[in-house]
């Protein structure tokens, strides 16, 4: 990451008080936690989060805070798969350990506090008591009806066993949430003792441990897996409901209040100028919808505009319709 920052001309710049000041690369290297904010000047929520970062820097002098204008450094943004702003990446010892998408100040604060207090920093002498960790693990295992603790994410598994587990769950249309144990060493080690299960992945249903990959394979073979884990609604049915949720539906990155990409921002401005009522769906909040809608509509990019459940098109189509005077009648259902 330091090489990427250096190439972008930002390496060694850290938040001090309210300013982003130049410093030495060594200063960043010595600091265990680095928080990088990928932002855009056209997005007001990014400016607000810069203020949040400045406040966090005052309370966490041992942490390096850096901001990068995402569209000014496309090679870095592409490498780290930055698809929206604001996005925050967390690094320790040059390794990415966590990510936060969106302008969520409380969640950013929570993640900074957690990562700053765990792992590479010297112990302060006031370690969390074991009861606190047990409580946290109980909340995590109960965070969803079906919880998978794995290496990586369902989209990017980081070990073969986790990849196989995700494939089995997806094959059986099982609805689950996941936790990347690489993002939190305390959880990674503590859960082994909490559940008396030494390896990963681990699958929990209603807070109870089901087991690891071998157990899940056995349950699949005996056809018990489908009776134990909650099923997800069929994707095609769900997409039909979503595209018909309102007369005019916009699937975009962000929402009416916070567009998270330039294309979504432009289409919002066009729709707002018509005065027609519409609803939005943030595809960044649901990876299943984000990927599934591309196939459902045979349209590979976002934003996507629907009128009465029928796809109109993306930004270019909407621009053409506006220029031809056809957009307003279409939105009103006259065409």
């Amino acid at each position: 990451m330091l090489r990427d920052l250096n190439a972008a001309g930002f390496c060694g710049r850290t938040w001090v008080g309210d300013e982003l000041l130049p410093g030495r690369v060594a200063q960043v290297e010595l600091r265990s936690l680095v928080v990088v904010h990928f932002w855009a000047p056209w997005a007001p929520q990014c400016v607000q989060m810069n203020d949040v970062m400045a406040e966090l820097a005052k309370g966490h002098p041992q942490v390096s805070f850096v901001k990068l204008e995402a569209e000014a450094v496309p090679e870095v943004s592409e490498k780290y798969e930055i698809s929206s702003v604001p996005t925050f990446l967390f690094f320790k010892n040059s390794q990415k350990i966590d990510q936060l998408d969106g302008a969520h100040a409380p969640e950013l604060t929570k993640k900074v506090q957690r990562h700053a207090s765990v792992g590479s920093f010297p112990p302060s002498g006031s370690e969390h008591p074991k009861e606190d960790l047990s409580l946290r693990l109980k909340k995590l295992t109960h965070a969803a009806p079906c919880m998978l603790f794995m290496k990586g994410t369902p989209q990017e598994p980081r070990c073969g066993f986790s990849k196989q587990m995700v494939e089995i769950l997806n094959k059986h249309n099982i609805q689950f949430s996941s936790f990347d144990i690489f993002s939190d060493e305390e959880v990674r080690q503590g859960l082994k003792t909490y559940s008396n299960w030494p390896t990963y992945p681990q699958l929990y249903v209603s807070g109870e441990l089901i087991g690891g990959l071998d157990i899940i394979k056995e349950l699949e073979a005996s056809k018990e897996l489908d009776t134990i884990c909650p099923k997800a609604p069929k994707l095609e049915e769900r997409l039909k409901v979503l595209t018909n949720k309102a007369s005019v539906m916009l699937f975009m990155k962000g929402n009416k209040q916070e567009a998270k990409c330039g294309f979504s921002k432009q289409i919002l401005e066009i729709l707002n100028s018509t005065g027609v009522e519409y609803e939005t769906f943030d595809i960044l909040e649901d990876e299943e919808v984000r990927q599934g809608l591309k196939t459902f509509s045979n349209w590979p990019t976002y934003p996507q505009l629907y009128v009465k459940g029928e796809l109109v098109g993306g930004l270019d189509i909407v621009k053409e319709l506006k220029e031809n005077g056809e957009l307003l009648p279409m939105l009103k259902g006259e065409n």
Side-chain angles (χ1 to χ4, degrees):
M1 184 61 195
L2 290 173
R3 284 195 295 270
D4 295 326
L5 294 177
N6 191 43
F10 281 84
C11 195
R13 296 188 179 187
T14 59
W15 281 100
V16 181
D18 294 324
E19 299 179 5
L20 193 64
L21 301 176
R24 297 178 182 274
V25 173
Q27 289 178 314
V28 177
E29 288 176 326
L30 288 173
R31 293 175 174 181
S32 300
L33 180 62
V34 180
V35 182
V36 183
H37 177 200
F38 287 83
W39 75 299
W42 50 260
Q45 63 270 28
C46 289
V47 178
Q48 293 166 5
M49 293 306 291
N50 281 338
D51 294 337
V52 174
M53 290 241 299
E55 288 300 314
L56 285 172
K58 294 176 183 177
H60 299 277
Q62 79 277 34
V63 180
S64 295
F65 293 86
V66 180
K67 68 174 185 177
L68 286 178
E69 188 176 335
E71 292 169 353
V73 285
E75 68 287 347
V76 179
S77 297
E78 183 178 352
K79 177 177 178 179
Y80 291 98
E81 298 183 343
I82 305 301
S83 59
S84 65
V85 293
T87 291
F88 299 86
L89 300 188
F90 299 75
F91 293 85
K92 270 189 180 179
N93 301 321
S94 298
Q95 296 295 316
K96 178 186 167 186
I97 59 168
D98 206 349
Q99 179 169 334
L100 174 64
D101 298 310
H104 306 295
E107 188 63 22
L108 176 63
T109 302
K110 191 187 304 180
K111 284 180 179 288
V112 169
Q113 290 172 342
R114 186 172 81 229
H115 293 308
S117 63
V118 176
S120 302
F121 298 118
S124 62
S126 57
E127 296 180 0
H128 295 295
K130 288 184 179 179
E131 292 76 18
D132 286 353
L133 178 57
S134 294
L135 259 174
R136 189 170 167 232
L137 294 174
K138 185 176 182 180
K139 288 179 181 176
L140 284 173
T141 54
H142 285 81
C146 187
M147 277 295 297
L148 176 64
F149 292 80
M150 61 180 290
K151 294 178 179 179
T153 65
Q155 293 75 36
E156 293 184 12
R158 294 173 65 183
C159 80
F161 298 134
S162 292
K163 184 172 184 287
Q164 289 181 62
M165 179 76 90
V166 169
E167 287 172 350
I168 291 172
L169 296 178
N170 286 337
K171 182 172 76 173
H172 288 263
N173 195 33
I174 291 169
Q175 190 169 20
F176 68 97
S177 295
S178 68
F179 185 95
D180 182 1
I181 52 112
F182 280 145
S183 71
D184 195 312
E185 189 64 22
E186 186 182 43
V187 170
R188 180 180 183 178
Q189 300 304 329
L191 197 60
K192 295 177 184 178
T193 305
Y194 177 86
S195 61
N196 194 27
W197 195 272
T199 60
Y200 290 100
Q202 296 181 14
L203 187 69
Y204 292 74
V205 173
S206 300
E208 296 293 325
L209 175 68
I210 302 301
L213 179 60
D214 288 344
I215 299 294
I216 299 308
K217 283 183 174 179
E218 289 176 12
L219 291 171
E220 181 186 32
S222 66
K223 302 192 184 304
E224 295 177 71
L225 186 62
D226 290 323
T227 65
I228 292 173
C229 298
K231 289 284 190 176
K234 289 185 178 179
L235 181 57
E236 188 171 347
E237 292 174 6
R238 190 174 169 222
L239 294 175
K240 282 181 182 177
V241 171
L242 283 174
T243 53
N244 285 278
K245 186 179 177 183
S247 179
V248 180
M249 276 294 298
L250 177 64
F251 292 80
M252 60 178 289
K253 294 179 180 179
N255 53 47
K256 285 184 183 180
Q257 291 73 39
E258 294 183 9
K260 293 180 181 177
C261 80
F263 298 134
S264 293
K265 183 172 183 285
Q266 289 181 59
I267 204 166
L268 280 182
E269 291 170 350
I270 294 172
L271 291 177
N272 289 338
S273 71
T274 66
V276 172
E277 290 293 322
Y278 65 96
E279 289 193 26
T280 62
F281 184 95
D282 185 357
I283 51 107
L284 297 176
E285 297 291 331
D286 194 314
E287 188 65 22
E288 183 183 50
V289 171
R290 180 179 183 176
Q291 300 303 331
L293 197 59
K294 295 177 184 178
T295 304
F296 179 81
S297 62
N298 195 27
W299 195 271
T301 59
Y302 290 98
Q304 293 183 16
L305 183 67
Y306 290 75
V307 174
K308 295 183 178 179
E310 295 293 325
L311 175 69
V312 175
L315 178 61
D316 289 343
I317 300 293
V318 171
K319 280 182 174 178
E320 289 178 14
L321 291 170
K322 183 185 178 184
E323 290 169 3
N324 297 337
E326 299 176 49
L327 179 61
L328 187 57
M330 178 172 287
L331 295 177
K332 289 182 176 180
E334 297 173 4
N335 286 351

